[in-house]
Amino acid sequence: MEILRTVEELRRWSRALRYSPCAEAGRRIGLVPTMGALHSGHISLIRAARAACSHVAVSIFVNPTQFGPKEDYARYPRSFEADCALAQAEDANVVFAPSIEEMYPSGAATFVEVEGLSEHLDGRFRPGHFRGVATVVAKLFIAAEADVAFFGQKDAAQVAVLRRMTADLRLSTEIVVCPIVRDADGLALSSRNSYLSAAERAQALTLSRAVRQVESLVAQGERRAARLIAAAQKIFAAEPAVRVEFIELADWSTLEPLETAAPGALFVVAAYVGSTRLIDNAILR
Ligand code: AMP
C-alpha cells in the first residue's frame, strides 16, 4: 500500500490506472474519504469499496474548514500509523494523506457552497460546516477521479449535501451510502466517542434509543412528525445530562422539515453529551 501526500501523486495514480495502455478492463476506482481515527464504521466503507472496485484509495485528512472556531479541530483524534495499518489490512491500494497546505494552497479563495441544504439540520448549528465539507470533498473528487466514493449514512445530512453538489457540478463520481455501524449496545460508532467518559458513554445511548423508538413507532403506523419528535424528546427527558441540539424529521433530498413521515424520510438527532457533540439517524421505511 502506498501513502500519497500530494494531489499530483493521487492524480497520477488514478490516471495511470485509467489511461495507461495496459489499463485493466473492468478497472473501477473507489474513494473512501475520512478524517482518520479509523473505526469499524470507516472499515465498513473500505470493505464496501474493496468489494465493488478494483482499486481503493482511502483519504485521511482532518479538514479544518469544516470545524467552527469553537469546535474540536485541535483535539480531534489523530492516529495516522494505526489508520494506515488498518487500511493496509483491508487491502486498500493507497492512503492519501495531504497536508493542509496541499489541500488549501496559500491564497486559496475558492469554496463550494450548496445553498439551502447547508443551512438545515447540522448546518443550522454549525455555520460553514457543510461549505467546508463540500469544498474538501469536491477537491478530493477532482483529484482522485474516482468512479465511486463511499460515505456513511451516519452523516446523512452530509450525504444529501454531497449528492446535490455532485449533481449540480456534474461530477462523474458516483456516491454510495453504507449503513450505520453500531456498537453492540446500539451506540453509533464515531471518532468522537473516544472523548466520552464511562458515564458519558452510557448517557450517549440516549441517541440510539430515541432513534430506535421512532423507528418502532413508524413500524406501528405512526407518521406524524410532531408525535415522532415528541416520543424522542421524552426519551431525552429521561437523561437530563444529555443536551439536545435538534430532533427533526426531514426530506433526505432537500433536508427540509417534514410534517409527515414518507418512506425514505430522514429522522435525525444531534445532542451534546458533556462537551461531545454526537449525531444519529434513521432512514424511515
Ligand atoms: P469521518 O472520518 O467521521 O469524517 O467519517 C468518514 C466517513 O465514515 C463518513 O462518510 C462517515 O459517514 C463514515 N462513518 C463514520 N462513522 C460511521 C459509522 N458508525 N457507520 C458507518 N459509516 C460511518
Side-chain angles (χ1 to χ4, degrees):
M1 188 188 75
E2 279 183 275
I3 297 174
L4 309 180
R5 297 286 183 178
T6 68
V7 166
E8 191 48 44
E9 286 170 342
L10 181 61
R11 186 168 285 144
R12 227 184 293 131
W13 172 76
S14 170
R15 289 195 171 173
L17 295 170
R18 193 177 299 278
Y19 303 122
S20 79
C22 52
E24 308 152 40
R27 173 265 330 116
R28 203 165 151 78
I29 300 170
L31 172 68
V32 181
T34 81
M35 297 206 297
L38 300 186
H39 51 62
S40 301
H42 299 114
I43 299 301
S44 76
L45 305 188
I46 302 175
R47 286 189 183 160
R50 191 67 277 171
C53 300
S54 57
H55 295 82
V56 176
V58 177
S59 67
I60 298 179
F61 179 62
V62 186
N63 174 36
T65 63
Q66 71 188 70
F67 289 80
K70 293 188 182 140
E71 293 182 1
D72 57 342
Y73 174 72
R75 72 168 185 137
Y76 194 83
R78 289 161 171 87
S79 53
F80 185 66
E81 302 298 322
D83 291 350
C84 287
L86 284 170
Q88 177 148 33
E90 296 301 328
D91 210 15
N93 299 92
V94 305
V95 160
F96 176 55
S99 64
I100 295 179
E101 296 69 35
E102 183 63 19
M103 294 310 277
Y104 297 98
S106 162
T110 306
F111 291 87
V112 178
E113 180 106 35
V114 180
E115 292 182 358
L117 279 81
S118 297
E119 281 87 59
H120 290 299
L121 302 177
D122 310 77
R124 193 145 60 86
F125 297 89
R126 302 182 72 190
H129 170 67
F130 286 130
R131 181 186 199 243
V133 170
T135 300
V136 80
V137 172
K139 286 174 188 243
L140 290 170
F141 279 15
I142 291 166
E145 299 184 5
D147 297 286
V148 205
F150 296 80
F151 293 90
Q153 184 203 309
K154 163 85 187 335
D155 297 271
Q158 164 175 291
V159 166
V161 168
L162 296 177
R163 281 178 170 155
R164 185 73 256 166
M165 175 191 82
T166 306
D168 291 352
L169 297 181
R170 297 277 191 248
L171 299 177
S172 61
T173 304
E174 178 196 338
I175 289 180
V176 169
V177 184
C178 301
I180 301 176
V181 176
R182 298 175 180 281
D183 268 339
D185 58 7
L187 182 67
L189 296 189
S190 163
S191 304
R192 291 189 168 99
N193 290 353
S194 65
Y195 299 151
L196 301 171
S197 68
E200 289 171 340
R201 173 73 185 60
Q203 293 159 0
L205 290 175
T206 317
L207 282 89
S208 53
R209 219 175 275 141
V211 167
R212 269 205 313 271
Q213 170 70 358
V214 164
E215 283 182 306
S216 96
L217 286 174
V218 169
Q220 290 162 38
E222 182 58 78
R223 296 283 180 274
R224 293 163 292 184
R227 294 294 176 96
L228 298 173
I229 291 168
Q233 279 166 338
K234 197 167 161 198
I235 292 197
F236 278 102
E239 186 56 87
V242 176
R243 181 167 65 79
V244 173
E245 185 176 68
F246 64 82
I247 303 175
E248 275 193 53
L249 183 71
D251 180 294
W252 196 17
S253 303
T254 63
L255 302 184
E256 302 267 0
L258 289 176
E259 289 192 358
T260 310
L266 170 64
F267 177 77
V268 50
V269 300
Y272 281 87
V273 182
S275 59
T276 304
R277 183 180 181 277
L278 299 176
I279 55 175
D280 203 345
N281 70 77
I283 307 299
L284 302 177
R285 307 285 157 218

